[in-house]
């Protein structure tokens, strides 16, 4: 039996980069965590230890810092495109470079003072492989809560089901979203797209009467594709941050949906992709008063 090397890749993970733009009186601060992954003809280093095609991961890290100085860090997508193309173009053995970027937000406090802006993170993954370029942007840590306008009923009841049906509950989640762009290119209005997608996600969450978090997920993805023509597909992971009504009857108190225990685990995890069908039929918006059929 022959033993062979399978798929492999390598790179530098979690390069922490903070870039201060001091050319302006009000300093601009960018805070990124960058990952580089390279793949291609790297058989020799694995089989014989010949490193002549191996660009050290240390050099990859240095390139991230050097590019931050040379080109600045404006939009993470452009920064990723420059880096990914650089590795593929400059290294004959490398056929695919993937650069992942997470931007940590800072809120301005003064001309050169900032406070970390909650947990919300803007993300991007740029992959250059041959003639193909894929840009996926996203966000994590966007915490949303509706204090009413959500129910959960009509589900399967098996011998292990104890969950009571509810026609009015708190619906809360921490959105993890990523979306893929049509025809990405250097210098497009990434910031405008990011703001537009974020606002579509938030708008749909707020305005959808929810019969399940699954229905809310579809409405959020649908709103993004409906309003952002540059987006081809949206992926969402929505943890159901359960808020359980506390039983106050032992204390002689009622609890008309006012006092909840917010549990952090275990939690329901609702995941889905909303994409553009190659159909000729036009997409009606999801009906806020009834379940979306998902087939439109
Ligand atoms: O919106 C929900 N979807 C579910 O699938 C589910 N399951 C559960 O226990 N609670 C909920 N809520």
């Amino acid at each position: 039996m022959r033993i062979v090397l399978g798929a492999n890749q390598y790179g530098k993970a979690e390069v922490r980069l903070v870039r201060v733009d001091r050319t302006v009186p009000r300093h601009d601060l960018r805070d990124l965590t960058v990952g580089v992954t390279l793949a291609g003809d790297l058989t020799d280093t694995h089989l014989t230890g010949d490193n002549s095609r191996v660009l050290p991961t240390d050099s990859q890290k240095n390139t991230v810092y050097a590019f931050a100085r040379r080109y600045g860090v404006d939009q993470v997508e452009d920064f990723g495109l420059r880096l990914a193309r650089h590795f593929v173009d400059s290294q004959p053995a490398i056929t695919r470079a993937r650069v992942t970027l997470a931007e940590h937000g800072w809120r301005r406090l003064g001309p050169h003072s900032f406070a970390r802006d909650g947990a919300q993170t803007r993300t991007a993954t740029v992959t250059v492989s041959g003639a193909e370029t894929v840009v996926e942007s996203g966000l994590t840590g966007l915490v949303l809560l509706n204090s009413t306008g959500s129910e959960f009923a009509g589900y399967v009841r098996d011998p292990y089901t104890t969950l009571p049906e509810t026609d009015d509950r708190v619906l809360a989640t921490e959105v993890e979203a990523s979306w893929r762009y049509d025809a990405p290119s250097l210098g497009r209005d990434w910031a405008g797209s990011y703001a537009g997608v974020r606002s579509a996600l938030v708008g749909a969450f707020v305005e959808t009467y929810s019969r399940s978090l699954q229905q809310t997920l579809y409405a959020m993805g649908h709103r993004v594709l409906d309003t952002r023509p540059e987006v081809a597909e949206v992926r969402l992971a929505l943890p159901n941050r359960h808020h359980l009504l506390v039983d106050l009857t032992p204390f002689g108190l009622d609890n008309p949906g006012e006092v909840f225990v917010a549990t952090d685990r275990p939690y329901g995890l609702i995941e889905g992709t909303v994409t553009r069908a190659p159909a000729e039929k036009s997409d009606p918006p999801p009906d806020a008063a009834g379940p979306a059929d998902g087939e439109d």
Side-chain angles (χ1 to χ4, degrees), residues 56-87:
T57 65
D58 192 62
S59 316
Q60 298 169 29
K61 172 206 68 186
N62 292 344
T63 309
V64 172
Y65 290 118
F67 273 37
R69 174 72 182 115
R70 179 168 292 153
Y71 302 111
V73 179
D74 186 13
Q75 300 304 306
V76 284
E77 290 85 356
D78 282 339
F79 192 56
L81 279 166
R82 280 191 203 284
L83 284 165
R85 281 192 191 151
H86 165 79
F87 291 121

Side-chain angles (χ1 to χ4, degrees), residues 2-271:
R2 244 166 39 90
I3 297 172
V4 294
L5 175 69
N8 61 88
Q9 57 185 20
Y10 81 116
K12 204 67 153 187
E14 299 201 31
V15 178
R16 295 283 298 115
L17 162 68
V18 174
R19 169 78 155 84
V20 179
D21 182 357
R22 298 169 176 275
T23 61
V24 283
R26 282 160 65 84
H27 288 178
D28 187 36
L29 185 88
R30 312 307 292 270
D31 180 350
L32 307 187
T33 301
V34 182
V36 177
T37 310
L38 307 182
D41 182 5
L42 298 161
T43 308
D44 287 351
T45 185
H46 291 88
L47 300 195
T48 70
D50 173 357
N51 294 331
S52 57
R53 292 164 193 247
V54 177
L55 180 73
T57 65
D58 192 62
S59 316
Q60 298 169 29
K61 172 206 68 186
N62 292 344
T63 309
V64 172
Y65 290 118
F67 273 37
R69 174 72 182 115
R70 179 168 292 153
Y71 302 111
V73 179
D74 186 13
Q75 300 304 306
V76 284
E77 290 85 356
D78 282 339
F79 192 56
L81 279 166
R82 280 191 203 284
L83 284 165
R85 281 192 191 151
H86 165 79
F87 291 121
V88 169
D89 291 348
S90 66
Q91 298 303 310
I94 298 305
T95 52
R96 194 198 74 207
R98 174 165 292 152
V99 179
T100 58
L101 307 108
E103 177 170 3
H104 316 294
W106 290 84
R107 200 161 28 87
R108 181 179 292 286
L109 296 176
H112 47 257
S113 306
F114 304 85
R116 242 330 262 278
D117 203 6
Q120 197 180 311
T121 297
R122 175 174 165 180
T123 62
T125 301
V126 177
T127 308
V128 171
S129 179
E132 201 194 14
T133 298
V134 178
V135 175
E136 288 170 299
S137 297
L139 57 80
T140 61
L142 170 63
V143 180
L144 302 174
L145 183 149
N146 282 333
S147 55
T148 189
S150 164
E151 57 182 73
F152 189 60
Y155 43 80
V156 171
R157 301 205 75 91
D158 76 355
Y160 302 105
T161 302
T162 57
L163 184 74
E165 299 198 344
T166 173
D167 62 2
D168 189 5
R169 67 174 179 171
V170 168
L171 185 67
T173 190
E174 182 173 333
V175 179
E176 183 184 319
S178 68
W179 52 94
R180 183 167 51 79
Y181 286 100
D182 255 339
S185 61
L186 200 65
R188 72 193 278 171
D189 181 14
W190 305 110
S193 286
Y194 179 81
V197 171
R198 186 186 180 286
S199 122
L201 291 169
V202 172
F205 180 86
V206 170
E207 289 157 24
T208 300
Y209 182 88
S210 175
R211 291 193 161 86
S212 66
L213 191 50
Q214 288 88 330
Q215 186 191 14
T216 297
L217 179 149
Y218 180 69
M220 292 168 76
H222 192 288
R223 179 81 63 101
V224 171
L225 295 183
D226 210 25
T227 56
R228 307 303 311 185
E230 72 275 29
V231 174
E233 185 173 280
V234 188
R235 271 187 292 132
L236 288 163
L238 302 180
N240 192 353
R241 289 207 165 174
H242 304 293
H243 286 64
L244 311 177
L245 204 60
V246 180
D247 177 10
L248 299 176
T249 51
F251 322 116
L253 295 168
D254 67 355
N255 189 2
E258 288 190 359
V259 180
F260 299 88
V261 53
T263 59
D264 63 349
R265 68 189 72 169
Y267 54 87
L269 181 58
I270 311 302
E271 300 173 279

